[in-house]
Amino acid sequence: MKKILLLGSGELGKELTISLQRLGCYIIACDKYLNAPAMQVSQEYEVFDMLNSIILKRVIAKHQPDLIVPEIEAIDTESLKDFEKKGMKVIPSSRAVSLTMNRDKIRNRAKEIGIKTARFGYAETLTELIKIFNNFNCKVVIKPVMSSSGKGQSYASTVSEIKKAWTYALAGMRGKKKKVIIEEFINFDYEITLLTILDSKGSIHFCPPIGHIQERGDYQYSWQPAKFDQTIVKQMKTIAKKITKDLNGQGLFGIEFFVKKEEVFFSELSPRPHDTGMVTMFTQNFSEFDLHARAILDFSIPKIELYKRGVSQVILANKNAKGNFVIKGIENAFQDKTIDIRIFGKPKTKPYRRMGVILASSLKKAKAALSKIKVVNI
Ligand SMILES: Nc1ncnc2c1ncn2[C@@H]1O[C@H](COP(=O)(O)OP(=O)(O)OP(=O)(O)O)[C@@H](O)[C@H]1O
Ligand SMILES: [Mg+2]
């Protein structure tokens, strides 16, 4: 029985835990708050800040896991490198985890290996930021180099907006380093996640492309398959192959692209299941969690089949949400006998927090179900 230390215990970690347990694994779920979704289904749990290297090392030493599986970015990656050197396996590899934790590191690597991205630059002061903005001479996106789920991210088209974006980015950044990435705004037609699996023998497998819509830097709904001209799919696959092979290791990667007419831009990558990939629980013979589990346990990857079209629609808390809550209207939503719902079981709510997801065969059905469900403060 493989012992797995799961670093991050959100909804993605919960589904991964279930997939791994079905293959006989023992899971220790970690997160900084008690009763996080994956802790509700794991054999053991640990509550601590995974950016704290002393505690992280202590927890790893205590459990002596066969695999360390990150589910989030906010982890002290230097500790992971140390344990990897001592022979412990980090998924997909400590290098991949460390490079993707910082937007600048993965962006620089993508550039080095010749992958096309939006034009970008970095700034550590407002003066630098304004200088790059003036050079770009177009609408831009500003993001802290360390953040996720749209935190600290904003758009700017004027110098006064740049000033606001700088302050906003500093407030939303993770870690102490004041550094932002400034990117040319791509007015894309579609935004795509290509779930790519690198198996233990180094072979690559793909899931059919997933389209998604984002608001406030966070996904609202996704659909699969996203249909494209084969030449676009080919471009995405070539990039996906190049970057996953470069990062190395084993597991499933969520690779984000922007598509504008015939052009494909690499945006970013998560070396783990992707939130927009929750749709695969409805559409595929094996979900992204099952596939990640197979890959990290050194098993062969099954033939990936799309059973049907599908949409995943997030159930969010409202903008005034705080603390205790109940979710109402599920029975009403289930009057449509074709939909499915996952409630994540987060113990508390906060503004716009993702509390669950609706899985349906069309966006219309997903929205109809959503209109019946309310996250109510109590
Ligand atoms: N250069 C860009 N041009 C247009 N839109 C962008 C650009 N960069 C980001 N966006 C929009 O903002 C969203 C969030 O940006 P990004 O994926 O870089 O960060 P994130 O989602 O916060 O990171 P993570 O996925 O790690 O949580 C994108 O999905 C996209 O909709
Ligand atoms: Mg993203």
Side-chain angles (χ1 to χ4, degrees), residues 183-202:
E183 282 180 39
E184 167 190 13
F185 174 80
I186 305 291
N187 193 11
F188 52 77
D189 303 320
Y190 291 100
E191 188 164 7
I192 298 297
T193 304
L194 186 65
L195 298 176
T196 304
I197 303 115
L198 182 58
D199 71 22
S200 58
K201 296 195 180 72

Side-chain angles (χ1 to χ4, degrees), residues 252-268:
L252 174 139
F253 297 73
I255 309 186
E256 295 179 32
F257 296 98
F258 302 142
V259 180
K260 190 179 173 190
K261 294 211 170 79
E262 268 82 62
E263 261 182 307
V264 172
F265 298 85
F266 166 76
S267 171
E268 60 157 6

Side-chain angles (χ1 to χ4, degrees), residues 172-237:
M173 71 179 193
R174 189 171 60 228
K176 291 188 196 79
K177 196 162 184 217
K178 281 190 190 174
K179 187 172 179 185
V180 301
I181 179 166
I182 164 169
E183 282 180 39
E184 167 190 13
F185 174 80
I186 305 291
N187 193 11
F188 52 77
D189 303 320
Y190 291 100
E191 188 164 7
I192 298 297
T193 304
L194 186 65
L195 298 176
T196 304
I197 303 115
L198 182 58
D199 71 22
S200 58
K201 296 195 180 72
S203 298
I204 303 265
H205 312 256
F206 297 105
C207 296
I210 295 169
H212 52 96
I213 297 290
Q214 305 257 337
E215 269 172 36
R216 297 175 301 275
D218 219 4
Y219 113 94
Q220 304 300 301
Y221 62 89
S222 66
W223 65 94
Q224 189 193 32
K227 292 252 167 73
F228 290 104
D229 195 278
Q230 277 312 305
T231 59
I232 290 176
V233 178
K234 213 170 146 196
Q235 281 186 64
M236 290 195 282
K237 286 185 173 172

Side-chain angles (χ1 to χ4, degrees), residues 38-81:
M39 292 179 192
Q40 298 165 23
V41 291
S42 65
Q43 283 92 338
E44 276 188 74
Y45 63 83
E46 294 278 359
V47 177
F48 67 102
D49 178 2
M50 291 161 289
L51 284 168
N52 183 322
S53 68
I54 297 168
I55 310 182
L56 178 59
K57 282 180 178 149
R58 198 188 300 149
V59 168
I60 298 174
K62 173 181 161 189
H63 291 282
Q64 292 292 315
D66 298 299
L67 300 179
I68 300 175
V69 181
E71 188 238 3
I72 54 164
E73 283 170 8
I75 296 171
D76 177 57
T77 51
E78 289 307 311
S79 304
L80 299 190
K81 278 185 193 159

Side-chain angles (χ1 to χ4, degrees), residues 95-113:
R95 177 164 179 267
V97 175
S98 149
L99 280 181
T100 52
M101 184 174 166
N102 301 303
R103 294 185 201 277
D104 47 347
K105 284 195 193 164
I106 183 69
R107 210 25 104 84
N108 291 344
R109 188 64 196 147
K111 191 175 175 183
E112 275 164 25
I113 60 175

